[in-house]
Amino acid sequence: MPPTTLFDIPTPSLILDRAKLVRNIRRMADAARSRNVALRPHLKTAKSIDVARLATEGQAGGVAVSTLKEAEYFAGHGIVDIQYAVCILPDQLERVASIQQQGARLTLITDSVEVTRAICEKGKALDTTFLVQVELDCGEGRSGILPDSGELIEIARLAHEASHIRFAGVMTHAGHSYQCRSIAEIEEVAEAERATAVMAAERIRDYGIPCTTVSIGSTPTALHARSLDGVTEVRPGVYMFGDMFQAQINSCGVDDLAVSVITEVCSHHASLNRLLINAGALALSKDRSTENMPDDVGFGLVADVRGHPLKQRMKVARVYQEHGQVLLADGVSCEELPVGTRLRVYPNHVCMTAAMYNHYHLVDSDQGDGCEIIATWPRINGW
């Protein structure tokens, strides 16, 4: 008989609260609608068709992914408008063509004239058409070209004029919005992101090439942009789940966090005022994104089995491969949390945490005590 509550499942396990997920999805949908832009959910964190169906409900239907395995998976479940939001490699193009044969329209990105030429050549060789967007650097300095660069027009020209390739617009991602510490700072980064994409699109149009898609990304900027004039779509992703880092940069609140890891106390070290849980680096990740934030939660915030943060706040202070070390708060004894006590941990970086699991145990905090498992949703991993 399958487990029916959070008291029955093996630990550690990944928990997804459907009620919070739905609220988070609606919040971003409302933000996109109020700015008159399309919402293309980025599914690199969720990696689940069940989550995708909720996130695309009422939207244009397009999604973004970060691996070709995700593209294959979602295409296999009937999603036909997919952006592969990582610079494409020429040796991946046969695989892209195979995905397109499933009926999907896969948009590729590049910041290279050389790669664009390779895409043209491969399209002819495979007798297929590839859609290409130019990736722009709006300030993060990770990948992409500057909007005033010569390469921008050359890539757009090649993709527009050559056979077996089609120019599909421009895109950028303000990943450096994660370095912001106030909504005002996020607003400034969001405006730079918008201006970069719009400037590039205008340059391309001035050259006589249509540029219908102007795509930006990042959860903080999608939520807090003062204006998205000239932008056609946003591609946020982590907004669906939230995490402790996002809660500290004003993307959500702790009460909005939809994903947690259920774990059990497995050992005590009373003389050092510590206990161990059976969720360590592999179950929680080693991401320390809140390390330099005002509220450092170590490797995750500890909550009770129902998902409520403990009255005397505690965090996972250290992780080993399969163990997490929790420092007991003042006045809390090991006897209050005996071996076998079930706890939940809200992670620093949910994308990294979820990556170790192949399914979600679904609960609903709006139903009863929120401990009943109402479904199990599969998710995929790999490249």
Side-chain angles (χ1 to χ4, degrees), residues 12 47 49 53 79 114 139 199 273 305 367:
K47 299 180 189 282
I49 187 58
R53 287 174 179 142
I79 294 181
E114 179 184 359
M199 174 185 174
N273 214 35
V305 71
Q367 298 180 15

Side-chain angles (χ1 to χ4, degrees), residues 5-264:
T5 75
L6 294 183
F7 297 97
D8 304 322
I9 60 174
T11 57
S13 285
L14 194 64
I15 310 304
L16 175 58
D17 187 326
R18 188 183 189 280
K20 294 181 179 181
L21 170 66
V22 168
R23 286 196 290 271
N24 294 341
I25 286 171
R26 287 176 180 166
R27 179 183 179 216
M28 184 61 77
D30 289 344
R33 191 177 302 111
S34 71
R35 292 167 173 81
N36 198 32
V37 294
L39 174 60
R40 180 183 292 273
H42 201 317
L43 298 170
K44 69 185 180 72
T45 305
K47 299 180 189 282
S48 164
I49 187 58
D50 297 286
V51 177
R53 287 174 179 142
L54 288 175
T56 57
E57 185 178 352
Q59 306 306 320
V63 304
V65 300
S66 61
T67 69
L68 288 179
K69 186 168 183 180
E70 292 167 36
E72 290 164 341
Y73 168 78
F74 289 115
H77 282 87
I79 294 181
V80 298
D81 179 2
I82 303 171
Q83 181 204 58
Y84 175 44
V86 177
C87 283
I88 191 67
L89 292 164
D91 63 9
Q92 295 175 313
L93 291 170
E94 289 192 20
R95 192 172 172 193
V96 170
S98 177
I99 296 169
Q100 293 183 160
Q101 288 173 358
Q102 298 182 52
R105 183 175 70 257
L106 191 57
T107 301
L108 312 177
I109 70 169
T110 186
D111 59 4
S112 165
V113 174
E114 179 184 359
V115 170
T116 305
R117 291 196 179 102
I119 296 170
C120 295
E121 294 169 4
K122 199 66 173 180
K124 291 177 185 176
L126 296 174
D127 192 24
T128 191
T129 298
F130 295 116
L131 306 182
V132 174
Q133 291 177 342
V134 182
E135 181 174 15
L136 306 165
D137 178 7
C138 62
E140 184 178 17
R142 182 177 66 174
S143 57
I145 56 177
L146 297 176
D148 58 354
S149 67
E151 291 96 331
L152 173 71
I153 300 301
E154 183 63 9
I155 293 171
R157 185 191 64 78
L158 282 168
H160 177 64
E161 295 178 356
S163 63
H164 298 89
I165 186 172
R166 198 168 86 219
F167 179 61
V170 297
M171 61 85 70
T172 190
H173 169 65
H176 54 306
S177 61
Y178 285 19
Q179 304 305 313
C180 297
R181 296 296 179 262
S182 70
I183 291 177
E185 290 177 351
I186 294 171
E187 289 174 343
E188 291 300 318
V189 170
E191 177 54 25
E193 181 185 37
R194 185 198 71 83
T196 294
V198 171
M199 174 185 174
E202 289 174 347
R203 283 192 66 212
I204 291 166
R205 292 172 189 141
D206 288 345
Y207 192 81
I209 299 171
C211 186
T212 55
T213 300
V214 182
S215 179
I216 68 169
S218 134
T219 287
T221 57
L223 286 171
H224 297 302
R226 290 190 292 261
S227 166
L228 291 179
D229 289 349
V231 171
T232 63
E233 69 174 24
V234 292
R235 310 179 322 277
V238 73
Y239 73 93
M240 302 175 211
F241 294 167
D243 55 33
M244 289 303 300
F245 178 76
Q246 291 295 321
Q248 295 203 46
I249 62 168
N250 303 295
S251 295
C252 61
V254 175
D255 290 344
D256 300 317
L257 305 191
V259 168
S260 58
V261 172
I262 192 160
T263 180
E264 292 177 82

Side-chain angles (χ1 to χ4, degrees), residues 242-324:
D243 55 33
M244 289 303 300
F245 178 76
Q246 291 295 321
Q248 295 203 46
I249 62 168
N250 303 295
S251 295
C252 61
V254 175
D255 290 344
D256 300 317
L257 305 191
V259 168
S260 58
V261 172
I262 192 160
T263 180
E264 292 177 82
V265 176
C266 61
S267 177
H268 291 137
H269 204 316
S271 63
L272 295 178
N273 214 35
R274 301 171 183 169
L275 57 81
L276 286 181
I277 55 175
N278 66 338
L282 294 183
L284 299 173
S285 97
K286 294 193 77 171
D287 195 298
R288 289 285 285 106
S289 52
T290 64
E291 185 174 12
N292 297 314
M293 303 296 286
D295 184 14
D296 179 16
V297 296
F299 295 91
L301 177 68
V302 179
D304 66 24
V305 71
R306 291 168 179 80
H308 304 135
L310 302 179
K311 290 181 179 178
Q312 290 159 295
R313 197 172 171 92
M314 294 194 292
K315 64 185 180 182
V316 181
R318 184 175 179 180
V319 289
Y320 310 87
Q321 181 167 320
E322 302 295 350
H323 294 94

